[in-house]
Amino acid sequence: MNAHDSEELLREGRRVLEVEAGAVAALARRLGEPFVRAVELLATASGRVIVSGIGKSGIVGRKIAATLTSTGTPATFLHPVEGLHGDMGIVSREDVAILISKSGGTEELVGLMDYLMRLGVPIIALTGEVDSPLGRAAAVAVDCSVG
C-alpha cells in the first residue's frame, strides 16, 4: 500500500466516523420524554427485561440483553419466531419487553408483541417508525430513526 492509498483510507475512515457521529448527535437531540418513561419502566420492573428483534435489530437486541445482564439487570434475548413456537415460557407478567424494529411492522415481531400484550407485559419499542403497529401498541415508543 502506498502513501496515497493510506491517505485515501484515512479520509474515508474519518468521513464514516463523522457521518456516524452526526447520526448519534441527531438522536441525542430527539431524546425526550419517551426515553425517560422507558428508563422508569426498566427501573421499576420486578422481573427480567425481555429483548427481541429480528435481523439486524435482533443482533442489536442480543447486545442490549448482554449489556444489561453484565451491568446487573436480569435480561434475556428472545428470538420472535422461537418465542412464537414454544419459547414464551420464559416470559412472566413481571417482565418488561424491549422490542426493536426499524419499520415497527415486522410480522414476526408483531406476533410476539400481541402475545406480550395479552400477558400484560409492558413494551418499550425502539423503532424508526413510532407511528407503526409496534409504536402505537407499545407503552413507550422511542424514536430511533436514522437519516
Side-chain angles (χ1 to χ4, degrees):
M1 178 177 297
N2 64 40
H4 178 65
D5 292 339
S6 295
E7 290 172 20
E8 180 60 29
L9 283 172
L10 284 171
R11 272 196 301 278
E12 185 62 14
R14 288 180 180 125
R15 186 194 68 76
V16 168
L17 289 173
E18 288 166 1
V19 167
E20 296 298 323
V24 171
L27 181 59
R29 288 189 295 274
R30 288 196 318 270
L31 212 57
E33 188 59 30
F35 174 79
V36 172
R37 291 195 328 262
V39 171
E40 289 170 345
L41 264 177
L42 292 168
T44 59
S46 59
R48 283 184 295 196
V49 179
I50 306 297
V51 185
S52 191
I54 198 158
K56 297 285 187 272
S57 297
I59 294 168
V60 171
R62 282 182 175 84
K63 175 59 177 147
I64 290 171
T67 300
L68 288 169
T69 299
S70 71
T71 58
T73 301
T76 190
F77 179 81
L78 175 62
H79 191 283
V81 175
E82 292 169 1
L84 295 173
H85 290 277
D87 285 353
M88 291 303 292
I90 68 165
V91 180
S92 76
R93 285 174 168 47
E94 292 77 35
D95 295 338
V96 63
I98 298 174
L99 303 185
I100 308 164
S101 172
K102 180 179 180 186
S103 71
T106 307
E107 184 178 333
E108 298 87 351
L109 204 61
V110 169
L112 178 61
M113 174 193 75
D114 290 341
Y115 179 86
L116 293 169
M117 289 174 60
R118 283 194 303 274
L119 213 88
V121 173
I123 297 170
I124 298 167
L126 303 182
T127 183
E129 298 289 337
V130 293
D131 188 24
S132 63
L134 175 60
R136 289 188 299 271
V140 178
V142 179
D143 179 4
C144 294
S145 59
V146 292

